[in-house]
């Protein structure tokens, strides 16, 4: 064992299994270089604030890279930013701002969401606009192989039917396939299924949306961006390529065609896709208008004209816990009651940490609970099973007053990005996600402390009726008191 971030790190070759979207089977993790994982995940198109569906992807792959590192792998995690796109151009024109100003603001807002959710930054975060030259190099290579042509409208397209195996990721035949939602069928295409590699500049588009190229001024198509960025930073094959559920087709299917068509070989050894966030049986998305933004769920003072915001630590960790306790590939349902249940469940773990202060331990992977946690995570990152281990340890800690069980629960929780806040700070933080809902008359911490001090004075004066009245008043305000030995009084919000 070696030490890693405060816990013991294991070297476990070939024990971790991943469900591969391409083969539709679980397979042992195989890497091109022993002990090294090169992981590329398709990130955000930055034209608006992130919603809970985006949070699912951000947290899901954050847990993946955390477990890979905890397992002893050296990880290079790349997650790109799409900062040139039709939606970005439309939004910038609507607001009368430059592309750079618009994308810069929403990149900052995305980073604020990541900090709130405890998402660690990727090792590299390339922006599409930084890799246009590499995109043009790939397009020229494809053209030399007969896999790119320029249409009468100036766009450069990829001829899908000339790439054997197209559709292998999505499992669709060519006759079943349709142009992707971002691909506008144009008269310049030889086949409606062909997708654009380079878009010819339109006269009414802003000047900062075009680059010079051998094909005339224009900008890259969406799909070529990731082929260029992943190849420049990680090469081929990628050990893991991941993204949201809606990227299998057309985006990832087209990446395979571009990258393998240009360079040969295999783009990725394993493909991972997280499940969708659902609302009333519909996928959460901006296009359907059924989305809830991350910042609205866990912020204290978020405003649409500011990227950053203050974070409520209790609500923020609740949202991460809500996401982590479901398997990353499952469909997850957003509903207010589900957030209330997640808050209640996470509170129980923190109440254990408060009642049974955790022992500082060196995590022993031979411990039965640690082995159960490891077995769950090695089984396609089964966080639901791993979270169940945390609750088993909480039960043991409460039943036996075991500081070691409490400490093990906290150490394992840290691998998932959970249970690292001081329990006193966590339990004293207000939350809108309790059974009683938001309260207009929620007491501040200072007001609670003042009432506790008044209660102590009443008890000293043997005015027990007043002391009991203060306790009842605080209970009505959702504050629970616990009188400790020596006269000290602890409190928490419930």
């Amino acid at each position: 064992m070696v030490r890693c971030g405060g816990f013991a790190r294991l070297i476990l070759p070939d024990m971790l299994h991943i469900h591969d979207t391409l083969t539709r089977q679980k397979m042992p993790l195989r890497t091109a270089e022993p002990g090294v994982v090169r992981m590329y995940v398709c990130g955000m198109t930055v034209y608006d604030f992130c919603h809970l569906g985006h949070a699912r992807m951000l947290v899901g792959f954050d847990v993946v890279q955390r477990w890979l590192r905890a397992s002893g792998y050296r990880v290079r995690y790349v997650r790109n930013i799409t900062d040139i796109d039709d939606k970005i151009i439309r939004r910038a024109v609507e607001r009368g701002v430059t592309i750079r100003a618009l994308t810069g603001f929403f990149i900052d807002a995305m980073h604020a969401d990541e900090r709130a959710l405890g998402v660690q930054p990727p090792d590299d975060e390339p922006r599409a606009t930084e890799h246009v030259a590499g995109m043009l190099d790939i397009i020229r290579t494809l053209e030399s192989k007969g896999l790119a042509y320029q249409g009468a409208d100036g766009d450069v397209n990829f001829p899908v039917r000339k790439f054997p195996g197209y559709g292998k990721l999505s499992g669709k035949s060519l006759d079943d396939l349709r142009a992707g939602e971002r691909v506008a069928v144009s008269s310049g295409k030889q086949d409606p299924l062909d997708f654009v590699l380079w878009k010819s500049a339109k006269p009414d588009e802003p000047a900062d949306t075009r680059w010079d190229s051998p094909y005339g001024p224009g900008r890259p198509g969406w799909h070529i961006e990731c082929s260029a960025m992943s190849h420049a930073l990680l090469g081929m094959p990628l050990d893991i390529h991941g993204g949201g559920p809606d990227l299998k087709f057309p985006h990832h299917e087209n990446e395979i065609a571009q990258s393998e068509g240009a360079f040969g070989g295999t783009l990725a050894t394993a493909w991972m896709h997280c499940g969708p966030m659902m609302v009333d049986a519909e996928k959460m998305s901006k296009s359907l208008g059924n989305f809830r933004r991350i910042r609205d769920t866990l912020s204290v003072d978020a405003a649409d004209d500011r990227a950053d915001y203050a974070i409520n630590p209790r609500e923020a960790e609740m949202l991460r816990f809500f996401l982590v306790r479901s398997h990353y590939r499952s469909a997850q349902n957003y509903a207010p009651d589900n957030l209330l249940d997640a808050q209640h469940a996470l509170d129980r773990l923190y109440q254990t940490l408060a009642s049974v202060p955790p022992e500082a331990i060196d995590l022993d992977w031979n411990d039965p609970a640690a082995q159960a946690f490891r077995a769950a995570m090695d089984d396609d990152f089964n966080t639901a099973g791993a979270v169940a281990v945390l609750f088993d340890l909480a039960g043991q800690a409460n039943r036996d007053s075991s500081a070691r069980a409490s400490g093990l629960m906290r150490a394992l929780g840290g691998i998932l990005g959970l249970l690292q806040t001081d329990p006193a700070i966590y339990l004293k933080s207000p939350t809108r996600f309790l059974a009683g809902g938001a309260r207009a008359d929620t007491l501040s911490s200072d007001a609670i402390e003042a009432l506790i001090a008044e209660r102590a004075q009443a008890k000293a004066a043997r005015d027990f009726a007043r002391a009991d009245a203060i306790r009842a008043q605080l209970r009505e305000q959702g504050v629970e008191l616990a009188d400790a030995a020596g006269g000290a009084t602890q409190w928490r919000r419930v």
Side-chain angles (χ1 to χ4, degrees):
M1 286 188 216
V2 295
R3 300 291 298 169
C4 176
F7 53 85
R9 186 177 67 174
L10 286 162
I11 304 296
L12 298 171
D14 300 340
M15 291 188 67
L16 195 157
H17 285 70
I18 297 175
H19 183 274
D20 175 35
T21 307
L22 181 63
T23 62
R24 293 147 183 86
Q25 296 178 345
K26 283 185 187 177
M27 52 183 277
L29 174 62
R30 296 281 187 261
T31 61
E33 181 180 351
V36 177
V37 175
R38 295 170 304 128
M39 181 168 76
Y40 184 91
V41 174
C42 291
M44 300 303 166
T45 300
V46 284
Y47 71 98
D48 205 344
F49 296 109
C50 297
H51 59 62
L52 296 188
H54 299 135
R56 185 97 197 269
M57 183 277 291
L58 290 168
V59 171
F61 285 102
D62 180 60
V63 170
V64 168
Q65 64 90 20
R66 284 172 181 257
W67 182 244
L68 290 171
R69 296 181 201 276
S71 298
Y73 290 99
R74 288 187 290 118
V75 180
R76 187 172 181 192
Y77 175 27
V78 178
R79 193 186 68 228
N80 77 291
I81 292 174
T82 293
D83 59 346
I84 183 65
D85 174 87
D86 290 347
K87 294 178 181 178
I88 292 172
I89 295 171
R90 285 196 296 269
R91 185 61 55 86
V93 171
E94 289 169 3
R95 297 192 175 190
V97 298
T98 65
I99 299 296
R100 183 178 293 274
L102 181 85
T103 58
F105 175 83
F106 285 117
I107 289 170
D108 290 344
M110 177 186 71
H111 289 160
D113 289 334
E114 291 170 8
R115 289 191 295 272
L117 290 168
V119 172
Q120 296 174 339
D123 298 298
D124 295 282
E125 194 176 53
R127 303 185 186 189
T129 54
E130 301 168 343
H131 288 265
V132 175
M135 299 173 203
L136 288 168
D137 286 342
I138 294 176
I139 293 171
R140 283 191 290 266
T141 299
L142 290 170
E143 186 179 29
S144 70
K145 296 184 175 184
L147 292 174
Y149 66 91
Q150 187 165 21
D153 58 0
D155 291 354
V156 180
N157 303 300
F158 187 102
V160 165
R161 295 185 187 274
K162 292 186 178 181
F163 180 75
Y166 188 85
K168 60 185 177 181
L169 182 67
S170 57
K172 300 177 181 180
S173 68
L174 284 175
D175 292 335
D176 293 335
L177 293 173
R178 297 293 182 267
E181 62 179 288
R182 295 196 187 198
V183 180
V185 177
S186 72
S187 60
K189 291 184 177 181
Q190 296 173 357
D191 187 309
L193 292 181
D194 295 349
F195 61 88
V196 67
L197 299 167
W198 184 261
K199 292 189 174 186
S200 177
K202 308 302 185 291
D204 58 342
E205 291 176 339
D208 59 351
T209 65
R210 63 186 69 193
W211 285 260
D212 290 332
S213 83
Y215 313 101
R219 65 180 185 277
W222 176 37
H223 312 298
I224 195 67
E225 296 175 355
C226 285
S227 286
M229 288 183 279
S230 67
H231 193 265
L233 293 170
L234 297 175
M236 286 175 57
L238 306 171
D239 299 311
I240 297 174
H241 194 327
D246 55 340
L247 298 184
K248 297 176 193 176
F249 180 80
H251 186 53
H252 287 163
E253 198 76 72
N254 292 350
E255 276 190 68
I256 291 173
Q258 293 163 162
S259 296
E260 296 182 4
F263 303 112
T266 300
L267 173 55
T269 302
W271 288 87
M272 295 179 65
H273 293 90
C274 63
M277 180 67 70
M278 309 297 289
V279 180
D280 297 328
E282 296 276 4
K283 184 174 76 72
M284 183 177 289
S285 70
K286 291 188 175 75
S287 61
L288 294 174
N290 64 350
F291 64 95
R292 181 177 177 84
R293 303 185 311 186
I294 296 172
R295 58 179 39 222
D296 296 332
T297 307
L298 48 76
S299 66
V300 174
D301 63 348
D304 285 359
D305 61 349
R306 287 190 291 111
D308 209 352
Y309 55 89
I311 299 165
N312 179 312
R314 191 170 179 180
E315 294 178 352
E317 189 165 346
M318 176 279 295
L319 182 54
R320 183 180 178 98
F321 176 81
F322 167 71
L323 298 166
V324 165
R325 71 174 179 172
S326 294
H327 191 279
Y328 78 91
R329 285 194 293 112
S330 65
Q332 190 170 19
N333 187 51
Y334 165 78
D337 285 350
N338 291 344
L339 297 186
L340 297 180
D341 181 67
Q343 187 74 79
H344 177 70
L346 184 61
D347 285 0
R348 285 166 47 202
L349 297 179
Y350 268 101
Q351 287 161 13
T352 297
L353 294 176
S355 301
V356 187
E359 176 184 318
I361 66 169
D362 287 336
L363 204 162
D364 179 6
W365 287 105
N366 293 313
D367 183 283
Q371 287 183 338
F373 183 95
R374 184 184 73 198
M377 292 299 290
D378 277 348
D379 182 15
D380 193 30
F381 308 97
N382 181 7
T383 53
V387 167
V389 173
L390 302 185
F391 279 98
D392 289 343
L393 286 167
Q396 180 185 345
N398 291 322
R399 186 173 56 251
D400 303 334
S401 298
S402 171
R404 188 183 182 285
S406 182
L408 183 56
M409 178 186 74
R410 189 174 205 184
L412 292 173
I415 297 174
L416 301 177
L418 300 171
L419 304 181
Q420 303 308 294
T421 302
D422 183 333
I425 294 174
Y426 175 92
L427 292 170
K428 290 181 179 180
S429 298
T431 175
R432 295 164 288 175
F433 299 99
L434 292 175
R439 299 177 60 104
D441 55 350
T442 297
L443 292 173
S444 68
S445 296
D446 288 343
I448 293 169
E449 296 285 0
L451 285 170
I452 290 174
E454 182 182 343
R455 177 173 176 267
Q457 293 172 355
K459 289 173 67 176
R462 306 188 66 78
D463 185 355
F464 298 115
R466 177 57 184 155
D468 290 344
I470 292 174
R471 177 188 282 273
Q473 177 186 352
L474 288 170
R475 185 180 299 116
E476 290 177 358
Q477 297 289 325
V479 178
E480 184 176 285
L481 302 184
D483 293 323
T489 298
Q490 299 176 339
W491 64 272
R492 63 186 178 94
R493 299 184 193 269
V494 296

